[in-house]
Amino acid sequence: MSTSSDTARTTAPTAPAAPETGAHTPEAAGVIRDARRRIDDLDGRIIGLVQERMAVSAVIQRERITSGGRRVNLSREMEVLAHYRNQLGRPGTALAMTLLELSRGRV
């Protein structure tokens, strides 16, 4: 039979062993720190790819305008939005919109 003090001991939250990670064990804290380093590396690479995408988009826009076209090609943007939505679901649409906004430059 369990007593109320037993219940309190097993259900009371414990303080994290590594508050900066929120982990309750040193092992979990190590895994989290390693994963965060990987995320930081991935974020750096993603930012670099976004900057590269922006540069390529600028080339496309310049050539389109130079040839008498418009800066923005709405049908192409719809393709990009659909691609991101199909691959990532609804949040993918928001991500694609952000990428398109970053890549358009000043309209």
XYZ file of all heavy atoms in Angstrom:
808
model
N 0.839 -1.180 0.000
C 0.000 0.000 0.000
C 0.881 1.239 0.000
O 1.841 1.331 0.737
C -0.902 -0.061 1.231
C -1.800 1.109 1.361
S -2.897 0.771 2.747
C -3.947 2.117 2.621
N 0.535 2.214 -0.823
C 1.358 3.409 -0.890
C 0.766 4.485 -0.006
O -0.440 4.601 0.141
C 1.489 3.852 -2.335
O 0.692 4.920 -2.627
N 1.646 5.268 0.535
C 1.203 6.366 1.389
C 1.247 7.647 0.589
O 1.832 7.709 -0.482
C 2.122 6.498 2.621
O 3.415 6.882 2.159
C 2.192 5.205 3.411
N 0.644 8.684 1.168
C 0.653 9.950 0.449
C 2.064 10.494 0.294
O 2.377 11.155 -0.672
C -0.253 10.968 1.136
O 0.218 11.221 2.455
N 2.956 10.197 1.240
C 4.331 10.663 1.092
C 5.041 9.925 -0.036
O 5.886 10.488 -0.714
C 5.109 10.536 2.405
O 5.218 9.167 2.757
N 4.706 8.619 -0.273
C 5.276 7.885 -1.402
C 4.840 8.510 -2.718
O 5.627 8.666 -3.631
C 4.836 6.413 -1.380
C 5.486 5.631 -0.258
O 6.551 6.067 0.216
O 4.908 4.599 0.131
N 3.559 8.858 -2.804
C 3.032 9.477 -4.013
C 3.713 10.805 -4.274
O 4.105 11.109 -5.395
C 1.510 9.669 -3.900
O 0.920 8.414 -3.628
C 0.944 10.268 -5.167
N 3.885 11.592 -3.235
C 4.522 12.895 -3.396
C 5.953 12.737 -3.894
O 6.417 13.506 -4.720
C 4.499 13.669 -2.084
N 6.654 11.706 -3.391
C 8.022 11.481 -3.806
C 8.114 11.084 -5.279
O 9.017 11.487 -5.982
C 8.663 10.385 -2.951
C 9.771 10.921 -2.076
C 10.431 9.834 -1.288
N 9.492 9.392 -0.250
C 9.308 8.140 0.117
N 10.008 7.182 -0.438
N 8.451 7.812 1.044
N 7.179 10.300 -5.771
C 7.262 9.807 -7.145
C 6.672 10.765 -8.164
O 7.012 10.687 -9.326
C 6.559 8.439 -7.282
O 5.204 8.591 -6.903
C 7.252 7.386 -6.448
N 5.816 11.680 -7.763
C 5.178 12.569 -8.729
C 5.696 13.998 -8.667
O 5.407 14.784 -9.540
C 3.653 12.591 -8.534
O 3.368 13.042 -7.215
C 3.055 11.225 -8.789
N 6.437 14.348 -7.627
C 6.933 15.714 -7.520
C 7.989 15.959 -8.585
O 8.848 15.116 -8.822
C 7.517 15.960 -6.135
N 7.923 17.095 -9.268
C 8.926 17.385 -10.285
C 10.294 17.573 -9.637
O 10.392 18.093 -8.541
C 8.435 18.667 -10.939
C 7.454 19.254 -10.002
C 6.940 18.139 -9.131
N 11.299 17.131 -10.327
C 12.663 17.309 -9.835
C 13.310 18.451 -10.592
O 12.950 18.741 -11.726
C 13.488 16.029 -10.035
O 13.505 15.717 -11.423
C 12.912 14.867 -9.252
N 14.255 19.077 -9.944
C 14.966 20.176 -10.593
C 15.868 19.607 -11.679
O 16.459 18.541 -11.510
C 15.792 20.939 -9.570
N 15.976 20.284 -12.799
C 16.858 19.803 -13.863
C 18.300 19.712 -13.380
O 18.768 20.567 -12.633
C 16.722 20.855 -14.961
C 15.457 21.581 -14.670
C 15.271 21.500 -13.188
N 18.996 18.671 -13.810
C 20.412 18.509 -13.476
C 21.246 19.539 -14.231
O 22.290 19.964 -13.760
C 20.879 17.100 -13.826
N 20.785 19.912 -15.400
C 21.464 20.910 -16.231
C 20.413 21.932 -16.658
O 19.773 21.777 -17.686
C 22.106 20.251 -17.432
N 20.225 22.975 -15.845
C 19.143 23.933 -16.123
C 19.190 24.547 -17.518
O 18.158 24.817 -18.107
C 19.328 25.012 -15.055
C 20.168 24.392 -14.000
C 20.976 23.319 -14.650
N 20.382 24.750 -18.075
C 20.472 25.377 -19.409
C 19.911 24.490 -20.504
O 19.579 24.967 -21.578
C 21.920 25.794 -19.726
C 22.863 24.656 -20.065
C 23.414 23.857 -18.874
O 23.058 24.148 -17.720
O 24.201 22.936 -19.122
N 19.809 23.189 -20.244
C 19.253 22.271 -21.241
C 17.858 21.809 -20.877
O 17.131 21.293 -21.720
C 20.131 21.011 -21.394
O 20.098 20.275 -20.168
C 21.553 21.362 -21.771
N 17.498 21.927 -19.600
C 16.220 21.415 -19.128
C 16.273 19.921 -18.837
O 15.275 19.316 -18.467
N 17.457 19.310 -18.998
C 17.603 17.869 -18.780
C 17.681 17.562 -17.294
O 18.177 18.354 -16.503
C 18.848 17.360 -19.481
N 17.230 16.377 -16.948
C 17.241 15.951 -15.556
C 18.353 14.965 -15.253
O 18.507 14.542 -14.112
C 15.876 15.365 -15.176
C 14.806 16.417 -15.115
N 14.428 17.031 -13.945
C 14.063 17.005 -16.084
C 13.494 17.923 -14.177
N 13.253 17.925 -15.482
N 19.123 14.579 -16.260
C 20.275 13.706 -16.039
C 21.459 14.252 -16.823
O 21.277 14.891 -17.869
C 20.003 12.254 -16.502
O 19.845 12.255 -17.924
C 18.769 11.658 -15.824
N 22.654 13.983 -16.346
C 23.838 14.435 -17.101
C 23.903 13.824 -18.505
O 24.337 14.480 -19.451
C 25.008 13.957 -16.242
C 24.456 13.801 -14.861
C 23.012 13.402 -15.048
N 23.448 12.576 -18.631
C 23.473 11.924 -19.943
C 22.566 12.656 -20.931
O 22.950 12.922 -22.071
C 23.043 10.458 -19.828
C 23.985 9.597 -19.014
C 23.798 9.737 -17.489
O 22.740 10.259 -17.037
O 24.720 9.345 -16.761
N 21.362 12.969 -20.470
C 20.424 13.696 -21.336
C 20.970 15.079 -21.668
O 20.843 15.547 -22.801
C 19.054 13.797 -20.676
N 21.584 15.739 -20.704
C 22.160 17.068 -20.946
C 23.227 16.995 -22.033
O 23.301 17.867 -22.903
C 22.734 17.638 -19.652
N 24.052 15.933 -22.000
C 25.075 15.771 -23.029
C 24.482 15.568 -24.400
O 24.947 16.160 -25.383
N 23.439 14.753 -24.489
C 22.765 14.519 -25.775
C 22.181 15.830 -26.293
O 22.311 16.167 -27.470
C 21.674 13.433 -25.630
C 20.801 13.376 -26.874
C 22.292 12.072 -25.339
N 21.541 16.582 -25.400
C 20.920 17.851 -25.797
C 21.975 18.843 -26.269
O 21.809 19.499 -27.306
C 20.075 18.422 -24.642
C 18.849 17.539 -24.429
C 19.687 19.879 -24.912
C 18.088 17.831 -23.144
N 23.082 18.959 -25.541
C 24.146 19.883 -25.958
C 24.689 19.507 -27.341
O 24.891 20.367 -28.186
C 25.273 19.882 -24.921
C 24.951 20.692 -23.693
C 26.199 20.820 -22.789
N 25.758 21.136 -21.446
C 25.643 20.263 -20.447
N 25.965 18.996 -20.605
N 25.220 20.663 -19.268
N 24.917 18.213 -27.559
C 25.403 17.762 -28.869
C 24.386 18.064 -29.974
O 24.743 18.530 -31.056
C 25.707 16.265 -28.852
C 26.941 15.927 -28.019
O 27.720 16.845 -27.695
O 27.111 14.723 -27.694
N 23.122 17.787 -29.694
C 22.070 18.044 -30.692
C 21.946 19.535 -30.975
O 21.737 19.935 -32.122
C 20.735 17.460 -30.216
N 22.091 20.353 -29.940
C 22.021 21.807 -30.159
C 23.175 22.293 -31.015
O 22.993 23.183 -31.860
C 21.995 22.539 -28.818
C 20.648 22.457 -28.136
C 20.650 23.231 -26.852
N 19.333 23.211 -26.219
C 19.089 23.658 -25.012
N 20.065 24.182 -24.286
N 17.869 23.602 -24.507
N 24.349 21.722 -30.805
C 25.496 22.094 -31.663
C 25.199 21.727 -33.116
O 25.507 22.485 -34.039
C 26.782 21.417 -31.176
C 27.439 22.126 -30.006
C 28.840 21.596 -29.728
N 28.834 20.289 -29.095
C 28.736 20.089 -27.779
N 28.627 21.110 -26.961
N 28.756 18.861 -27.299
N 24.585 20.576 -33.304
C 24.232 20.155 -34.674
C 23.196 21.100 -35.271
O 23.290 21.471 -36.450
C 23.708 18.720 -34.659
C 23.392 18.236 -36.045
C 23.618 16.766 -36.216
N 23.424 16.431 -37.621
C 22.493 15.606 -38.053
N 21.702 14.978 -37.222
N 22.368 15.369 -39.342
N 22.201 21.482 -34.468
C 21.183 22.432 -34.950
C 21.834 23.764 -35.305
O 21.518 24.359 -36.340
C 20.063 22.607 -33.915
C 19.145 21.386 -33.940
C 19.260 23.892 -34.167
C 18.067 21.379 -32.882
N 22.751 24.247 -34.458
C 23.438 25.504 -34.763
C 24.194 25.404 -36.083
O 24.171 26.339 -36.894
C 24.393 25.887 -33.629
C 23.673 26.304 -32.357
O 22.454 26.595 -32.412
O 24.334 26.331 -31.296
N 24.836 24.261 -36.316
C 25.541 24.050 -37.583
C 24.547 24.032 -38.749
O 24.779 24.675 -39.774
C 26.326 22.734 -37.539
C 27.040 22.452 -38.847
O 27.883 23.280 -39.251
O 26.744 21.405 -39.463
N 23.447 23.305 -38.581
C 22.424 23.258 -39.633
C 21.856 24.646 -39.904
O 21.671 25.035 -41.067
C 21.301 22.294 -39.250
C 21.672 20.813 -39.258
C 20.597 19.990 -38.558
C 21.895 20.331 -40.672
N 21.588 25.409 -38.853
C 21.060 26.763 -39.036
C 22.029 27.621 -39.836
O 21.621 28.378 -40.716
C 20.754 27.423 -37.690
C 19.489 26.893 -37.039
O 18.674 26.249 -37.737
O 19.315 27.118 -35.828
N 23.321 27.499 -39.542
C 24.318 28.245 -40.312
C 24.294 27.866 -41.784
O 24.376 28.727 -42.659
N 24.176 26.576 -42.040
C 24.109 26.109 -43.425
C 22.824 26.572 -44.100
O 22.837 26.962 -45.276
C 24.249 24.596 -43.472
C 25.661 24.163 -43.075
C 25.847 22.701 -42.770
N 25.270 21.789 -43.722
C 25.013 20.515 -43.457
N 25.286 20.005 -42.271
N 24.494 19.729 -44.374
N 21.702 26.521 -43.379
C 20.421 26.977 -43.939
C 20.508 28.456 -44.286
O 20.087 28.877 -45.374
C 19.266 26.692 -42.966
C 19.004 25.176 -42.886
C 17.999 27.449 -43.372
C 18.105 24.759 -41.731
N 21.073 29.256 -43.385
C 21.207 30.696 -43.654
C 22.070 30.912 -44.894
O 21.741 31.739 -45.758
C 21.772 31.429 -42.423
C 20.705 31.451 -41.314
C 22.230 32.844 -42.776
C 21.227 31.863 -39.956
N 23.147 30.168 -45.020
C 23.994 30.276 -46.210
C 23.239 29.913 -47.475
O 23.368 30.580 -48.506
N 22.428 28.861 -47.407
C 21.628 28.460 -48.571
C 20.573 29.513 -48.912
O 20.322 29.782 -50.095
C 20.971 27.105 -48.327
C 21.922 25.909 -48.322
C 21.206 24.662 -47.834
C 22.503 25.697 -49.717
N 19.973 30.111 -47.903
C 18.986 31.166 -48.162
C 19.674 32.349 -48.838
O 19.151 32.912 -49.816
C 18.280 31.594 -46.859
C 17.451 32.866 -47.069
C 17.395 30.468 -46.332
N 20.850 32.706 -48.363
C 21.584 33.805 -48.997
C 21.956 33.463 -50.436
O 21.863 34.316 -51.327
C 22.833 34.144 -48.172
C 22.481 34.780 -46.839
C 23.669 34.888 -45.905
O 24.607 34.089 -45.959
N 23.624 35.870 -45.019
N 22.326 32.223 -50.671
C 22.627 31.790 -52.046
C 21.374 31.847 -52.899
O 21.408 32.291 -54.061
C 23.196 30.369 -52.018
C 23.619 29.859 -53.373
C 24.235 28.457 -53.307
O 24.545 27.962 -52.208
O 24.398 27.869 -54.390
N 20.233 31.411 -52.346
C 18.958 31.463 -53.072
C 18.621 32.905 -53.437
O 18.155 33.190 -54.546
C 17.847 30.853 -52.215
C 16.522 30.753 -52.954
C 15.386 30.380 -52.013
N 14.232 29.904 -52.725
C 13.406 30.669 -53.428
N 13.625 31.965 -53.535
N 12.369 30.141 -54.052
N 18.853 33.825 -52.508
C 18.575 35.238 -52.760
C 19.435 35.762 -53.913
O 18.942 36.500 -54.774
C 18.829 36.053 -51.487
C 17.827 35.765 -50.381
S 18.328 36.416 -48.765
C 18.389 38.172 -49.085
N 20.696 35.364 -53.941
C 21.600 35.812 -55.010
C 21.170 35.258 -56.361
O 21.168 35.983 -57.371
C 23.037 35.400 -54.683
N 20.789 33.993 -56.411
C 20.338 33.383 -57.668
C 19.044 34.048 -58.127
O 18.867 34.343 -59.319
C 20.169 31.856 -57.510
C 19.505 31.255 -58.735
C 21.513 31.199 -57.239
N 18.150 34.314 -57.187
C 16.895 34.981 -57.533
C 17.162 36.374 -58.106
O 16.499 36.801 -59.053
C 15.994 35.074 -56.296
O 14.781 35.689 -56.624
N 18.155 37.075 -57.558
C 18.499 38.407 -58.070
C 18.956 38.323 -59.522
O 18.615 39.189 -60.345
C 19.577 39.040 -57.193
N 19.700 37.279 -59.861
C 20.140 37.083 -61.251
C 18.922 36.881 -62.143
O 18.806 37.495 -63.218
C 21.103 35.871 -61.357
C 21.343 35.494 -62.818
C 22.409 36.166 -60.650
N 18.008 36.034 -61.714
C 16.793 35.765 -62.503
C 15.996 37.048 -62.698
O 15.565 37.362 -63.816
C 15.937 34.681 -61.822
C 16.665 33.332 -61.868
C 14.555 34.593 -62.469
C 16.035 32.271 -60.973
N 15.812 37.801 -61.629
C 15.032 39.039 -61.720
C 15.699 40.042 -62.652
O 15.032 40.675 -63.472
C 14.871 39.656 -60.332
C 13.959 38.853 -59.430
C 13.920 39.408 -58.029
O 13.702 40.596 -57.849
N 14.135 38.562 -57.034
N 17.008 40.170 -62.528
C 17.729 41.119 -63.385
C 17.565 40.743 -64.851
O 17.268 41.600 -65.704
C 19.204 41.157 -62.981
C 20.012 42.181 -63.753
C 21.474 42.252 -63.327
N 22.154 40.972 -63.520
C 22.632 40.212 -62.524
N 22.512 40.594 -61.273
N 23.243 39.067 -62.805
N 17.718 39.467 -65.170
C 17.589 39.016 -66.557
C 16.156 39.180 -67.056
O 15.940 39.558 -68.204
C 18.045 37.560 -66.696
C 19.538 37.387 -66.522
C 20.351 38.234 -67.495
O 20.035 38.232 -68.702
O 21.301 38.894 -67.037
N 15.201 38.901 -66.197
C 13.795 39.042 -66.606
C 13.483 40.510 -66.912
O 12.878 40.823 -67.946
C 12.877 38.508 -65.496
C 11.442 38.369 -65.970
C 10.491 37.870 -64.896
N 10.842 36.560 -64.407
C 11.059 36.280 -63.109
N 10.973 37.208 -62.202
N 11.364 35.052 -62.749
N 13.930 41.400 -66.035
C 13.665 42.836 -66.231
C 14.414 43.355 -67.459
O 13.849 44.094 -68.275
C 14.054 43.621 -64.966
C 13.069 43.299 -63.839
C 14.074 45.123 -65.234
C 13.510 43.780 -62.472
N 15.668 42.953 -67.612
C 16.470 43.384 -68.761
C 15.828 42.963 -70.076
O 15.884 43.687 -71.074
C 17.905 42.811 -68.656
O 18.500 43.297 -67.456
C 18.757 43.209 -69.836
N 15.167 41.818 -70.078
C 14.544 41.328 -71.308
C 13.131 41.869 -71.505
O 12.443 41.457 -72.430
C 14.517 39.798 -71.298
O 13.579 39.330 -70.335
N 12.724 42.785 -70.623
C 11.409 43.402 -70.767
C 10.314 42.753 -69.942
O 9.144 43.120 -70.052
N 10.678 41.800 -69.122
C 9.682 41.123 -68.288
C 9.484 41.819 -66.949
O 10.064 42.873 -66.684
N 8.684 41.197 -66.132
C 8.399 41.732 -64.791
C 9.348 41.108 -63.780
O 9.850 40.009 -63.982
C 6.961 41.407 -64.414
C 5.968 41.988 -65.443
C 4.570 41.706 -65.042
N 4.242 42.640 -63.958
C 3.121 42.638 -63.287
N 2.208 41.746 -63.545
N 2.897 43.514 -62.345
N 9.547 41.796 -62.679
C 10.428 41.309 -61.621
C 9.910 39.998 -61.032
O 10.659 39.068 -60.789
C 10.555 42.345 -60.512
C 11.369 41.850 -59.310
C 11.419 42.863 -58.194
N 12.053 44.079 -58.604
C 13.348 44.352 -58.447
N 14.134 43.472 -57.878
N 13.849 45.484 -58.830
N 8.618 39.916 -60.801
C 8.021 38.757 -60.126
C 7.222 37.938 -61.124
O 6.465 38.487 -61.930
C 7.115 39.226 -58.963
C 6.419 38.056 -58.306
C 7.929 40.013 -57.935
N 7.373 36.625 -61.062
C 6.616 35.697 -61.892
C 5.681 34.939 -60.961
O 6.086 33.992 -60.276
C 7.587 34.744 -62.601
C 6.888 33.771 -63.513
O 5.752 33.389 -63.283
N 7.597 33.352 -64.544
N 4.432 35.373 -60.911
C 3.488 34.820 -59.942
C 3.212 33.334 -60.135
O 3.066 32.597 -59.159
C 2.181 35.616 -59.963
C 2.294 37.073 -59.501
C 0.948 37.771 -59.615
C 2.831 37.150 -58.088
N 3.189 32.864 -61.366
C 2.945 31.433 -61.566
C 4.109 30.608 -61.012
O 3.901 29.541 -60.429
C 2.700 31.112 -63.040
O 3.835 31.394 -63.817
N 5.322 31.103 -61.162
C 6.485 30.408 -60.579
C 6.396 30.428 -59.058
O 6.689 29.429 -58.400
C 7.779 31.061 -61.064
C 9.019 30.540 -60.395
C 9.263 29.066 -60.650
N 10.484 28.669 -59.966
C 10.746 27.464 -59.535
N 9.877 26.480 -59.737
N 11.868 27.190 -58.913
N 5.995 31.543 -58.486
C 5.864 31.620 -57.035
C 4.820 30.629 -56.529
O 5.006 30.011 -55.481
C 5.547 33.041 -56.580
C 6.733 33.972 -56.725
C 6.576 35.278 -55.973
O 5.512 35.511 -55.359
O 7.553 36.062 -55.974
N 3.744 30.453 -57.283
C 2.721 29.482 -56.885
C 3.286 28.063 -56.913
O 2.970 27.239 -56.053
C 1.488 29.592 -57.789
C 0.752 30.933 -57.656
S 0.295 31.338 -55.961
C -0.955 30.116 -55.661
N 4.146 27.762 -57.883
C 4.811 26.458 -57.940
C 5.680 26.234 -56.699
O 5.678 25.146 -56.119
C 5.697 26.342 -59.182
C 4.959 26.251 -60.492
C 5.926 26.278 -61.676
O 7.159 26.100 -61.479
O 5.442 26.489 -62.802
N 6.424 27.265 -56.321
C 7.296 27.167 -55.149
C 6.451 26.942 -53.891
O 6.752 26.073 -53.070
C 8.175 28.435 -55.007
C 8.918 28.448 -53.672
C 9.153 28.537 -56.180
N 5.380 27.708 -53.751
C 4.494 27.549 -52.586
C 3.915 26.141 -52.524
O 3.897 25.510 -51.449
C 3.360 28.581 -52.633
C 3.763 30.034 -52.405
C 2.609 30.965 -52.754
C 4.224 30.247 -50.978
N 3.460 25.625 -53.649
C 2.892 24.274 -53.683
C 3.941 23.224 -53.330
O 3.657 22.275 -52.597
C 2.291 23.989 -55.063
N 5.151 23.404 -53.829
C 6.225 22.450 -53.544
C 6.505 22.387 -52.040
O 6.581 21.296 -51.457
C 7.480 22.835 -54.316
C 8.644 21.939 -54.067
N 8.689 20.630 -54.487
C 9.813 22.158 -53.411
C 9.826 20.085 -54.110
N 10.529 20.989 -53.454
N 6.657 23.527 -51.422
C 6.926 23.561 -49.978
C 5.744 23.012 -49.180
O 5.933 22.283 -48.199
C 7.278 24.984 -49.525
C 8.743 25.299 -49.707
C 9.251 25.626 -50.961
C 9.612 25.268 -48.636
C 10.596 25.915 -51.125
C 10.957 25.552 -48.789
C 11.449 25.875 -50.041
O 12.780 26.153 -50.203
N 4.538 23.355 -49.585
C 3.341 22.843 -48.898
C 3.270 21.325 -49.024
O 3.015 20.622 -48.045
C 2.081 23.489 -49.454
C 0.806 23.032 -48.734
C -0.464 23.622 -49.356
N -0.599 23.214 -50.743
C -0.483 24.033 -51.796
N -0.245 25.306 -51.628
N -0.612 23.577 -53.025
N 3.535 20.793 -50.204
C 3.488 19.350 -50.413
C 4.553 18.618 -49.613
O 4.325 17.495 -49.152
C 3.632 19.011 -51.901
C 2.431 19.452 -52.704
O 1.343 19.653 -52.171
N 2.628 19.632 -53.992
N 5.709 19.217 -49.463
C 6.807 18.567 -48.747
C 6.730 18.741 -47.233
O 7.127 17.848 -46.486
C 8.155 19.112 -49.242
C 8.458 18.775 -50.676
C 8.534 17.279 -50.912
O 9.229 16.565 -50.197
N 7.809 16.790 -51.906
N 6.221 19.891 -46.770
C 6.289 20.220 -45.343
C 4.932 20.496 -44.700
O 4.877 20.831 -43.518
C 7.190 21.450 -45.143
C 8.632 21.305 -45.640
C 9.352 22.633 -45.569
C 9.365 20.236 -44.855
N 3.869 20.383 -45.478
C 2.555 20.677 -44.923
C 2.307 22.175 -44.857
O 3.048 22.978 -45.435
N 1.269 22.546 -44.144
C 0.863 23.952 -44.078
C 1.991 24.894 -43.635
O 2.150 25.969 -44.213
C -0.344 24.078 -43.166
C -0.941 25.443 -43.171
C -2.233 25.477 -42.412
N -2.718 26.848 -42.358
C -3.737 27.228 -41.669
N -4.407 26.348 -40.962
N -4.118 28.485 -41.664
N 2.803 24.518 -42.626
C 3.899 25.422 -42.257
C 4.891 25.648 -43.397
O 5.571 26.665 -43.436
C 4.579 24.716 -41.080
C 3.523 23.837 -40.502
C 2.698 23.394 -41.685
N 4.965 24.699 -44.331
C 5.844 24.866 -45.481
C 5.446 26.054 -46.336
O 6.303 26.713 -46.924
N 4.148 26.328 -46.390
C 3.676 27.487 -47.150
C 4.213 28.775 -46.545
O 4.686 29.660 -47.259
C 2.134 27.519 -47.189
O 1.665 26.287 -47.743
C 1.619 28.682 -48.020
N 4.163 28.870 -45.226
C 4.680 30.065 -44.548
C 6.186 30.205 -44.768
O 6.685 31.313 -45.003
C 4.354 30.012 -43.059
N 6.888 29.091 -44.715
C 8.334 29.121 -44.961
C 8.618 29.584 -46.387
O 9.479 30.437 -46.614
C 8.941 27.738 -44.712
C 10.429 27.588 -45.010
C 11.255 28.557 -44.190
C 10.856 26.148 -44.755
N 7.879 29.048 -47.346
C 8.072 29.447 -48.744
C 7.760 30.927 -48.935
O 8.483 31.621 -49.665
C 7.199 28.592 -49.662
N 6.722 31.406 -48.286
C 6.388 32.834 -48.400
C 7.549 33.693 -47.881
O 7.887 34.715 -48.486
C 5.112 33.156 -47.618
C 3.846 32.674 -48.294
S 3.527 33.455 -49.897
C 3.297 35.143 -49.419
N 8.143 33.278 -46.779
C 9.275 34.015 -46.226
C 10.457 33.985 -47.188
O 11.094 35.013 -47.436
C 9.674 33.436 -44.858
O 8.561 33.557 -43.969
C 10.870 34.158 -44.274
N 10.738 32.816 -47.749
C 11.833 32.712 -48.717
C 11.575 33.578 -49.948
O 12.484 34.253 -50.447
C 12.046 31.266 -49.133
C 12.647 30.348 -48.081
C 12.582 28.905 -48.542
C 14.086 30.767 -47.766
N 10.362 33.555 -50.422
C 10.020 34.373 -51.595
C 10.166 35.856 -51.273
O 10.705 36.620 -52.075
C 8.600 34.059 -52.077
C 8.423 32.688 -52.712
C 6.946 32.384 -52.926
C 9.198 32.582 -54.016
N 9.713 36.250 -50.093
C 9.841 37.658 -49.690
C 11.303 38.051 -49.609
O 11.695 39.123 -50.094
C 9.155 37.871 -48.350
C 9.170 39.304 -47.876
C 8.467 39.506 -46.556
O 7.726 38.609 -46.109
O 8.660 40.575 -45.947
N 12.122 37.216 -49.015
C 13.559 37.507 -48.920
C 14.211 37.574 -50.306
O 15.108 38.378 -50.554
C 14.259 36.443 -48.086
C 14.039 36.483 -46.583
C 14.536 35.206 -45.927
C 14.733 37.701 -45.979
N 13.763 36.718 -51.214
C 14.399 36.598 -52.521
C 13.931 37.632 -53.532
O 14.604 37.856 -54.537
C 14.140 35.195 -53.091
O 14.753 34.228 -52.269
N 12.795 38.253 -53.290
C 12.281 39.235 -54.258
C 13.112 40.498 -54.284
O 13.149 41.185 -55.283
C 10.850 39.628 -53.886
C 9.823 38.647 -54.305
C 8.429 39.202 -54.008
N 7.491 38.123 -53.932
C 6.754 37.832 -52.860
N 6.855 38.572 -51.785
N 5.928 36.824 -52.879
N 13.711 40.831 -53.187
C 14.388 42.119 -53.100
C 13.353 43.216 -53.025
O 12.189 42.972 -52.703
N 13.758 44.408 -53.351
C 12.828 45.540 -53.334
C 11.967 45.499 -54.568
O 12.458 45.526 -55.683
C 13.588 46.834 -53.247
C 14.358 46.935 -51.936
C 15.075 48.216 -51.840
N 14.096 49.267 -51.685
C 14.356 50.472 -51.233
N 15.592 50.786 -50.925
N 13.421 51.384 -51.121
N 10.663 45.424 -54.357
C 9.724 45.372 -55.482
C 9.217 46.752 -55.785
O 8.993 47.557 -54.951
C 8.556 44.416 -55.176
C 7.568 44.384 -56.320
C 9.079 43.033 -54.900
